[in-house]
Amino acid sequence: MATVAEILTFVETLAPRSMKMDWDNVGLLCGSRNTPVAKVLVALDPFEGVCREAAQWGAELIVTHHPMIFQPLKAITDETSIGRSIQLLCRSGISAINAHTNLDCAPGGVNDILAKKLGLSDIKVIHPDGTDAQGRPYGLLRSGEVEEQSLEAFLSLVKQNLNCPGLRYVDGGKPVHRVAVGGGSCAGGMQEALDAGCDTFVTADVKYNQFWDARDLGLNLIDAGHFYTENPVTEYLCEKLREAFPEVEIKISETHGDCMKFFG
Amino acid sequence: MATVAEILTFVETLAPRSMKMDWDNVGLLCGSRNTPVAKVLVALDPFEGVCREAAQWGAELIVTHHPMIFQPLKAITDETSIGRSIQLLCRSGISAINAHTNLDCAPGGVNDILAKKLGLSDIKVIHPDGTDAQGRPYGLLRSGEVEEQSLEAFLSLVKQNLNCPGLRYVDGGKPVHRVAVGGGSCAGGMQEALDAGCDTFVTADVKYNQFWDARDLGLNLIDAGHFYTENPVTEYLCEKLREAFPEVEIKISETHGDCMKFFG
Amino acid sequence: MATVAEILTFVETLAPRSMKMDWDNVGLLCGSRNTPVAKVLVALDPFEGVCREAAQWGAELIVTHHPMIFQPLKAITDETSIGRSIQLLCRSGISAINAHTNLDCAPGGVNDILAKKLGLSDIKVIHPDGTDAQGRPYGLLRSGEVEEQSLEAFLSLVKQNLNCPGLRYVDGGKPVHRVAVGGGSCAGGMQEALDAGCDTFVTADVKYNQFWDARDLGLNLIDAGHFYTENPVTEYLCEKLREAFPEVEIKISETHGDCMKFFG
Amino acid sequence: MATVAEILTFVETLAPRSMKMDWDNVGLLCGSRNTPVAKVLVALDPFEGVCREAAQWGAELIVTHHPMIFQPLKAITDETSIGRSIQLLCRSGISAINAHTNLDCAPGGVNDILAKKLGLSDIKVIHPDGTDAQGRPYGLLRSGEVEEQSLEAFLSLVKQNLNCPGLRYVDGGKPVHRVAVGGGSCAGGMQEALDAGCDTFVTADVKYNQFWDARDLGLNLIDAGHFYTENPVTEYLCEKLREAFPEVEIKISETHGDCMKFFG
Amino acid sequence: MATVAEILTFVETLAPRSMKMDWDNVGLLCGSRNTPVAKVLVALDPFEGVCREAAQWGAELIVTHHPMIFQPLKAITDETSIGRSIQLLCRSGISAINAHTNLDCAPGGVNDILAKKLGLSDIKVIHPDGTDAQGRPYGLLRSGEVEEQSLEAFLSLVKQNLNCPGLRYVDGGKPVHRVAVGGGSCAGGMQEALDAGCDTFVTADVKYNQFWDARDLGLNLIDAGHFYTENPVTEYLCEKLREAFPEVEIKISETHGDCMKFFG
Amino acid sequence: MATVAEILTFVETLAPRSMKMDWDNVGLLCGSRNTPVAKVLVALDPFEGVCREAAQWGAELIVTHHPMIFQPLKAITDETSIGRSIQLLCRSGISAINAHTNLDCAPGGVNDILAKKLGLSDIKVIHPDGTDAQGRPYGLLRSGEVEEQSLEAFLSLVKQNLNCPGLRYVDGGKPVHRVAVGGGSCAGGMQEALDAGCDTFVTADVKYNQFWDARDLGLNLIDAGHFYTENPVTEYLCEKLREAFPEVEIKISETHGDCMKFFG
C-alpha cells in the first residue's frame, strides 16, 4: 500500500521543496512517513473542520496547500483551533502534508492553474526565480492574455470562472488585455506586474492603500478572494494524485469552503 | 485671520499628539505655520485628487486623517503620486496637517464617531491607554451595545449607516449584542474585543486567515471597508473647525471617495 | 473528580507563573484543562520513556519540571523524540503540565529542596527577585551552611545525599562552610555565590572554562549532575499533590533516571 | 531644448550610479525629468542660498555634489532649511540632481580633480572597486607624486592651489613625496593610504583622535577643509556640461562658499 | 603611602562613576589598586609619549581624562601604539586611571572649568541629568554669560584664554551674550544650546555639515580644538590631587600637547 | 636567533589562519614579533600558572591552543587572572601566540591527533570546509574506525589512551565501530557525526539535554573532558617546533593539567 512518504515524495515532484520561500514551512508537518495510506483528503487548508472530515471519513492523510503549522507552536492544547486539530490528527493516526509557496511557484502549480482557470493564453512566469529539472521557468506570478475587453467584462469573467460570490477592485483606467495573476496575498507584486507589461492584476487580501497605489500606477487591481484564487489547485492535486496512486481513494474536502461571505 | 498654526493647535486639542502611536507621523507635514488661512479642505486622505481640489478651490490648508508622508521620502519628483502632491501643495502655498492615530484614540475621535454612526449605546474604550486632561479614557477600540439581533439584521444596519457598497464578513455563530469597532486596519485587536465581552467586531482590511481566526474564536467579524469606517470623522472635524473658526470657509472634499468598488 | 485545570492551579500555587524567567515555557503545554484526572505521573522530564510509562499506567496527566516544548515546534512527526512523545500523549488523552524556572525560584522549590537535601542550615535566597504573597523572598540560588569541613568530606556528603554516581569538581583552596546551590545549569551564578559569602557552589553542566574561573576566584565548584541536583523536587511535588488531591493516584516515574553514566 | 532627464543621463555618464556607496542618495531628488532646461546652476551643495540664487537667476535645474535629501524626510515645512529649500524649488519649478559618492569614485571625478589641483603626477586609484565601461579603474581615494619636499613646502602648495584660508595638520615625521587625496570626510582611509605607500594624506573633517592615529602611523595628515577639497569639481562639471549642452546657459553659483572661517 | 585605590576613590569623589555615559570606560584600566604611589603624572591623554614620560620620571600612576582603552582590545602587541603603551606601563609597574564623561558632567569638572576659563558668569548646567550628593545639578553642557560683544571680540577672547593657535567658526549672525560650552566633540548638542537661550557655542571636532546647520539655526559655532577645550581640566585635577595627597609628587605632563597644528 | 615572527609563521603553516572560525582570536596576542627566542613553553592554555612557569623558566614565548584573549579586554588589572597574566608577560618580555580553531581544523591538528590517539583507522574529515594548499581536506570533526567492540571496551580504550581520570557517557544502544571525534566542546556536531555514519562520538563539555538527544538519536556519546581530548596536540606542536627550530629549547608545560577532578 502507498505510504505517506511515497505520497510526499510525489507531491514534491510536482512542487519541489527548493522552490519554497525561506520563511515557509512545508512537507510532513504532522504524523508519520511510514503510515500506509488508503484514503487521502485534499483541501486548501488543514483547518479543524477538514481534520474532522478526514477523521470521520477514515483518511490516513490530508494534503493541503496551507501549512498545518505556520507560527511555531509553544503548546498543543484544546484551547486553540490548531491545538485541537493536531490532537485530533494524532488521535486518529492521520498525517498532514502540504505544499505551499513551492506549489505557488512550481510550473503547473497554483498560479498556472489560476491563469488557466481565467482562460489566459501565452502564459509566462513573471520574474522567474530559476528553472526546474526539465528546464521550465518557475516563480511566483504569472501573466497571460485575454482578448482586449472592458474591465467590466473581465470582472464578469473572473467572478464566473472562479465561482466567487463577489470581487473588490479598482479601475486603473485601461481596458484589459495582459493580466497578471497571483493567488492569495500577492498585491506586493504590483510593480512587477506592470514591469511585465500587464494592465490588470488578479490577487487577494488587498489593503486600502494598495488599491490606491494601483490606481496611481494605472493598474486594474482585482481582489477575487484568497480562497477562490487558490482553491482551484486542489482539483489539480487530486487529479495528479489519482493518476499516481490509482489504488488510493482520493477526494477533495466536501465541507471546506471560504468562511468569509459578501453582503452587498 | 486664522493661521495654520492656530488650526493645528485646535486640531491637537481634539486629538492630542501624546495619544499617537510611536510609529505614526502627525501634525504639520507640509507648508508653513504662519500661513493665514481663509479656506480649509477636509478629507480622509491627502491624495493627489484632494490636493488638486484644494488648489482649484483656493484653499490654504488641507486637514486629513491619514498623513501626507508615511514612509520618509528620499526624493520628491513627479514620478510618484506623493511627489506630485507635494510639488502641487508647495506651488500653491497649501499646507497639510493631519491627526491620525491620535484621532483614532481620542475621545470623540474616529472610533467614537464610528460607534455612534452604528447607533451603539453604552460606548466604552476597550483597554484604555490613559485618560486625557478632562479625565476621559482614550485608546484605540470602542465597544457598545445594540438591541440583540441577528447578524443579518446587523449587516443591513452597518451597510446602511456607513453607506457602504458591500461588506465582507464571517459568521461567528452568535447573535449581535455587544459590538467592538475599530476604523481602518484593526483586525489585530480581535482578542481584545472578545476579552471586552463583544460578540461582533466591525473593522476593515481583514485578511483570509483573520476571518478564520474570528470564526474559531466565535466572533462575528465584519469588514466594512477602510474608507467607510473612517470617513465619518471628516464631518466631525468639519463641524468642530467651523465652530472654532467661524470666519474660515471649511468644507469636506467633494471629489474624494473610496477608489475600491465591489462587483458582486 | 479533579481536573487538569485544578491540578495546574495548585502547582502554580507552589510555583507562581510570575516567578518564571522571560524565556521559559511553563503550564499546560499539551492536552486539555477539562480532562478529569485519576492518575498523575510525576517526573523530572517529559521525555519519551516517561510518556510511555504514563500511557501504560493509564495516567491522564504528567507533571514535570522541564517543559514538554522548549524550542517552539514546526512539525510533530515520529521522526523526532518530541514528536513521538506528543503523538503518544494526544493518542492516549494525557495532558502535560510543568513548572520550570518558576519552581526553581519558588520558596520551597527545586533549590530549597536541594539545599535541604544537602543538610544546609540557615538557608537564604541569594539575590532575591522579590517576595511572594506570604512575604517570602524568592529567586534562583540558595546559600546555606554546613559545619566547616574539608572539601573531600563535603564531596562524600554530596555524593551520598544526592545519590549520584560521581562528581566533577575543582578545588578552590578553601574548606567548606557556606555553600551555594543551583540545580541544573547555574554555573553562571558563580560571582553571585561569592558575593553572598560562599566558599563552595553545587550545580551542574559545568564547562571547562568555568572550572578554571572558579579556581581563579577561589571557589570550590562541584558539578553533581543536572539530574541529581534537580530530581529531588519530584518527591516534593508528589507529596504536595497527594496532600492536595488525596483521591488522585500520584506517583513518581519508576523508569526515568539519568541516561548519563560515569566510567572511571 | 535639453531636458532634466537628458542632463541627468549625461551626468551619470560622468559618474555612473553603479559607482555610488550603498547608503547614498543620488540622481533626481526634486522636480521633474521632463522639464526643459535653459539655465543650470552648478554648486557643491544644494543649500538654501543656492536654491534662492537659482530661483533669482531663473534656472530650471541645479546640479550639485551633495544630495538635496540625505536623511529621508518626514515633513517639508518652512521650519527647516531643507523644507524651505524644497518649497522654493517646487514653487519655482526648479529640479535638483546630484552625483555624490559616484562622482567621488568616478574616473575624472572629485578625487582626480583634487589630485590634479595639487599638481600630483602618476595618479592612481587606491584600492579600486572595479573598472568602468572603458576599462578605467574607479574607487574612492587617489594617490600621486610630488617632487620630494618638506611638509612645510607642501602645506604652502596645498593652501595656495586649493585657495583655502587655513589648514590643520599633523606632522608624521616624513618628507612629502607620495600623497593620498580624498575630498571631504575620508580620514577613515588612513591605513589604505599607508598601504598604498603614501607618506601624506590630504582630506577634511579630521577629528582629534585621527590626528593622533596619523602621528602614530607616521603619516602627514592634512585637513584642507571639506569645501576646499571638493569644490574644484564644480568647475569640472560646468565645463563638461557646457561641452555637452552648448545651447544651455550654465554657471557655477556666485554666492556659495564655505560658511566656516578661520580665526588665527 | 597613598595607594592607587585611594587616589582612584578620591578622583571618583570629584567625578562619580554614576555620572558617566553608558558606553564609556573609566576608572582603573591598567595596573593594580594596591600599588603605593609617590609620583603621579596628570595628562589629558594616556598616549604613548605620556606613558614614556611617566616611566622616565618614575611615576607609579598616570591620571588622565581620556581612557587608556576605548575599543576593547583583542591583542596587546608592539605593533600598535596602545599595545606599546600598555606593555610599557606593565613593565614599569605604572597604573592608569581616568575620569572621562563622568568628569565632563561632574560639577566643577571639564565643562565648568572651560566655562570659567572663558570668563562666563551665571554658569548653569544645560539639561541636567540629575543632582549629586550635595544637591548640585550635573550634566554635559554648561551655559553662561559674557558682556554682549561682537563675535570677533569673543573669538579673540577664546583664542587668548584657551591659548589655542587658531579657531574655526561660523557666524550665526548674532552678537555674543549667552554662551554654551562643551569640551571635545559636543556639536551634537547644538539644539540644546539654542533651547537654553544661547547665541554662541564653543566646542570642537565640528564637521562641515554641522557648521552649516549652525548657520541655519542662527548660532555662532566655534571649534576651539579638542585639546584646548579640555586640557584646562588637568590643572584642576592636579590642584585637587595635591590638596588631597600632599605627600605625593604630582605634576602635569611636560611633553603632552596637541599634535595638530594650524597652517594659515 | 629565531624570532617570535618566524615561529608564528611556522605555526601558521601547520594551522593556517584561513582555517579559523570567524569569531576566533588567533596569532600573536601579546608581545612583539621581533623578540629573539631561545626558549618556548608549549601548553594547552595560556593561564596564569603557565605564564608564571614561562617566566620562571626564562622563556621568551608561550605557544598555546586556547587564546590569551577571548573576550576583548576593557581593562588590564591585577584583579583578574587574565590581567595578572598579561602584566606578567609584559613585565617578563614574554610573547604569546596561539592556534585555536585553525589548529582544530587543520590536517594533522587537534582532531587528527585525537583520532590517532584513539587508534582510529581510515580517518576522514567530516563535512570538510575546503582543501589546503596540498589538496588535503580540512574541517572541524574527524571520523575513523575501530574494530567493532562493545561500548564498555571502547570506554576503557578511551580512558587509557587519553589518560583521563573518568568519562561521562550515554549508551546509544549500538556497538562501537565508526567513531567521530571533536576535541573540546563539539557536541553540537552530533547530527553531522550520525550523517557521516558514526555510531559513537567522543567530545567534551556535554550538557544534560545533549546526552538525552544522543540517546534519542541512537548515538554513543562520550565526554572525555576538554583537557584530555585537546591536550595531546601539545606534543605534536612540540615535536614540529623542535624539528623546525632545532636551536631553540622547547618544552611542554610541566605544571599545567586539568584543574577539574572526578570524585566517584
Side-chain angles (χ1 to χ4, degrees), chain A:
Chain A
M1 203 187 285
T3 61
V4 167
E6 286 161 26
I7 296 176
L8 176 58
T9 299
F10 175 73
V11 168
E12 298 197 339
T13 316
L14 301 178
R17 275 188 101 74
S18 58
M19 294 182 188
K20 81 175 186 69
M21 309 291 175
D22 286 349
W23 46 262
D24 204 5
N25 195 16
V26 308
L28 177 68
L29 303 192
C30 191
S32 163
R33 301 175 69 84
N34 302 320
T35 303
V37 178
K39 288 181 175 175
V40 174
L41 190 68
V42 176
L44 187 66
D45 301 284
F47 291 156
E48 208 176 343
V50 170
C51 294
R52 272 199 301 262
E53 182 182 351
Q56 281 157 12
W57 184 45
E60 298 87 3
L61 178 64
I62 59 176
V63 175
T64 64
H65 177 45
H66 290 122
M68 191 75 214
I69 301 175
F70 193 67
Q71 285 302 110
L73 298 172
K74 298 188 70 175
I76 294 161
T77 74
D78 65 352
E79 284 155 42
T80 63
S81 178
I82 170 76
R84 289 188 298 271
S85 299
I86 288 177
Q87 292 185 353
L88 176 56
L89 294 190
C90 292
R91 220 156 46 223
S92 312
I94 303 171
S95 294
I97 67 177
N98 77 302
H100 187 206
T101 51
N102 43 339
L103 189 57
D104 287 326
C105 294
V110 171
N111 287 319
D112 274 321
I113 299 292
L114 176 56
K116 281 180 201 152
K117 201 85 182 180
L118 295 177
L120 305 189
S121 59
D122 184 31
I123 299 174
K124 291 178 183 160
V125 177
I126 296 180
H127 279 205
D129 294 331
T131 52
D132 71 2
Q134 298 153 65
R136 296 174 302 178
Y138 68 88
L140 190 58
L141 306 179
R142 300 290 181 278
S143 73
E145 287 190 8
V146 292
E147 202 130 323
E148 184 166 315
Q149 55 195 277
S150 69
L151 176 56
E152 183 139 281
F154 186 67
L155 291 167
S156 287
L157 182 157
V158 172
K159 182 166 185 299
Q160 189 171 331
N161 289 20
L162 299 186
N163 196 25
C164 50
L167 306 171
R168 299 190 308 151
Y169 71 98
V170 67
D171 187 338
K174 291 177 190 153
V176 178
H177 182 45
R178 182 134 208 120
V179 177
V181 300
S185 308
C186 293
M190 246 184 274
Q191 191 60 54
E192 292 183 28
L194 280 166
D195 294 348
C198 297
D199 41 65
T200 303
F201 188 10
V202 179
T203 184
D205 285 340
V206 178
K207 298 184 70 174
Y208 182 60
N209 58 308
Q210 292 175 320
F211 280 117
W212 281 99
D213 289 348
R215 207 184 76 148
D216 284 337
L217 294 166
L219 181 73
N220 303 310
L221 179 63
I222 301 171
D223 180 339
H226 200 118
F227 182 83
Y228 298 99
T229 52
E230 297 196 330
N231 197 48
V233 85
T234 55
E235 286 172 42
Y236 164 80
L237 282 172
C238 210
E239 275 168 38
K240 292 290 181 183
L241 286 166
R242 280 173 182 153
E243 281 170 33
F245 301 94
E247 78 289 4
V248 178
E249 203 174 340
I250 296 164
K251 75 169 184 193
I252 294 178
S253 165
E254 291 166 359
T255 61
H256 189 52
D258 196 358
C259 73
M260 185 267 281
K261 306 294 175 206
F262 273 77
F263 182 91

Side-chain angles (χ1 to χ4, degrees), chain F residues 209-223:
Chain F
N209 57 308
Q210 293 174 322
F211 280 117
W212 281 98
D213 288 347
R215 208 185 74 147
D216 285 335
L217 294 165
L219 180 73
N220 303 310
L221 180 63
I222 302 170
D223 180 339

